[in-house]
Amino acid sequence: MSTEDSLKSKFPQGELVFSQFRDNHRIAVPAAHMFDVLAFLKNEHHFDMLAELTAVDYLEYEGARDRFGVVYVLVCTKSGERLVLKTHVNDPDPVLPSVYSLWKSADWLEREVYDMFGIKFSGHPDLRRILTPDEFTAFPLRKDYPLKGRGERHNFPVLTRSES
């Protein structure tokens, strides 16, 4: 049975939306079902590698109904099959369950998404900033983040090339 057929029989609500472009298989999943779908794919279809986890900010994107898209790229190392799964979360409190319990590689990937977009992952063992200082209060990859920053540059010391 194909992965798509198996998912359709396991999650018959019809809420999963399947699409394909060339060899890129994509599945849109409601946030409430994302952890269950990911666990099913890992345990039943042997998608043993979380290759990527990232986010997209759809602020002012024409036709967008949600603020953030969170994208998971899974790989079955045995067969080479790849799947791209996408879900959506919204302000004021964008939260998804952590997949750290499924793939340990989610540790830094979820921390990066949290640091850059402000999307929280409930159940993550160490959700803290990874690329910006702990005192940093904004999320630089959000579309509403000003290009010149929010005045925080004066709060951090300037490092010269010789000091770095």
Side-chain angles (χ1 to χ4, degrees), residues 22-33:
R22 297 186 179 147
D23 62 346
N24 186 352
H25 297 272
R26 300 173 288 200
I27 307 169
V29 181
H33 300 299

Side-chain angles (χ1 to χ4, degrees), residues 100-160:
Y100 176 80
S101 61
L102 299 173
W103 298 282
K104 299 304 180 220
S105 62
D107 184 8
W108 284 45
L109 297 172
E110 288 177 348
R111 286 176 63 187
E112 180 181 16
V113 170
Y114 166 69
D115 194 6
M116 296 289 107
F117 291 94
I119 298 168
K120 296 177 186 150
F121 294 90
S122 63
H124 189 282
D126 188 21
L127 192 63
R128 59 188 164 101
R129 292 194 177 269
I130 193 170
L131 297 170
T132 59
D134 292 335
E135 304 82 31
F136 202 77
T137 58
F139 304 106
L141 290 183
R142 286 189 175 197
K143 296 281 174 107
D144 55 0
Y145 185 79
L147 293 178
K148 292 187 177 181
R150 286 202 170 99
E152 65 269 343
R153 290 182 184 179
H154 68 278
N155 295 329
F156 300 101
V158 175
L159 297 177
T160 64

Side-chain angles (χ1 to χ4, degrees), residues 29-42:
V29 181
H33 300 299
M34 185 54 105
F35 185 85
D36 295 332
V37 169
L38 290 169
F40 178 75
L41 288 168
K42 180 180 183 195

Side-chain angles (χ1 to χ4, degrees), residues 12-24:
Q13 304 92 321
E15 295 177 351
L16 304 182
V17 179
F18 298 87
S19 63
Q20 180 178 344
F21 180 72
R22 297 186 179 147
D23 62 346
N24 186 352

